[in-house]
Amino acid sequence: NIQLGEDIRTKLPAFWRPTDSANGHFLLIGGSGAGKTTTLRHLVWQVRESAVPVFVIDFHGDIEPYECDEDLIEMMEGGEKLHYNPFSLVEGRTPLKCRQEFVEALKAQNRNIGPQQGEVLTRAIDAAYKKHTHINFDLVCDELDEMELPTRFEGTRASLQAYVRSYLESCMFHGGEEVTVERLTSSLCRLNLSDLSEDSRNALTDIVLRQIFISMKNQGPISRSADVKYRCFIAVSYTHLRAHETEAD
């Protein structure tokens, strides 16, 4: 049981009981200064006290946990000290799955990446996997620059190169020590993204969450006799919500 606070009507403690729920999703919303950050820090502390690994994606660098030792990973713009490699073939991931998740994540973050841009990026990733046992974003960008394409794709190549340049310059997908899913989900880990641009934060968050889901799914179902229901609690301090516009809106 995770205590959230006090019921304003009954004055009794209010709890979130994830083990009694069909799923463990929890959405915390509120205006500026309402206490979202403080509440989230208490949630992280209580979940960790229950011996469940916690992974915090910290967009603003202010979710330092209470009374807990943490593994702090700070992603620095162009720092080249740490990176997350979305193409690493570990924890049951395959080239096909890595490529699909990466392309879909970038499409989700930028509506300008259409079918043709997606096809060119797919070709670059496949070409990199064919040439190298272990690839990263830098090698994919090399293939994007050098591979032969039909003439009709040259304009598409140029627009895609301009889009991915910011990711290449940020070094969040290559350079320095590689951060793995295993590290992110093994104890209490906080990924500080406050130094990255908003676009980079959203793209990295999308890709990391997709690959954590794949890794957890590859582990199979949790035994019914297990003491805990969840393998990891993931807290995102800021989520980019995008509503699809309709005529009714």
Side-chain angles (χ1 to χ4, degrees), residues 127-175:
Y129 274 124
K130 287 179 180 179
K131 292 182 179 179
H132 306 278
T133 303
H134 180 81
I135 74 170
N136 57 27
F137 189 62
D138 194 18
L139 292 174
V140 171
C141 289
D142 287 344
E143 291 298 329
L144 182 61
D145 294 339
E146 300 169 4
M147 68 180 180
E148 295 184 4
L149 287 172
T151 305
R152 70 180 188 277
F153 283 128
E154 286 304 326
T156 301
R157 187 209 305 259
S159 64
L160 188 59
Q161 286 171 321
Y163 176 71
V164 302
R165 186 175 296 116
S166 62
Y167 296 148
L168 187 62
E169 293 173 350
S170 74
C171 299
M172 65 182 184
F173 292 135
H174 72 282

Side-chain angles (χ1 to χ4, degrees), residues 73 75 80-91 93 134-136 172-181 183-184 211:
I73 300 173
M75 303 297 289
E80 298 188 357
K81 294 182 179 179
L82 294 168
H83 75 279
Y84 182 83
N85 184 4
F87 306 109
S88 181
L89 301 181
V90 296
E91 298 157 338
R93 297 203 296 266
H134 180 81
I135 74 170
N136 57 27
M172 65 182 184
F173 292 135
H174 72 282
E177 179 186 352
E178 181 177 341
V179 177
T180 64
V181 167
R183 178 177 175 182
L184 297 177
Q211 296 198 338

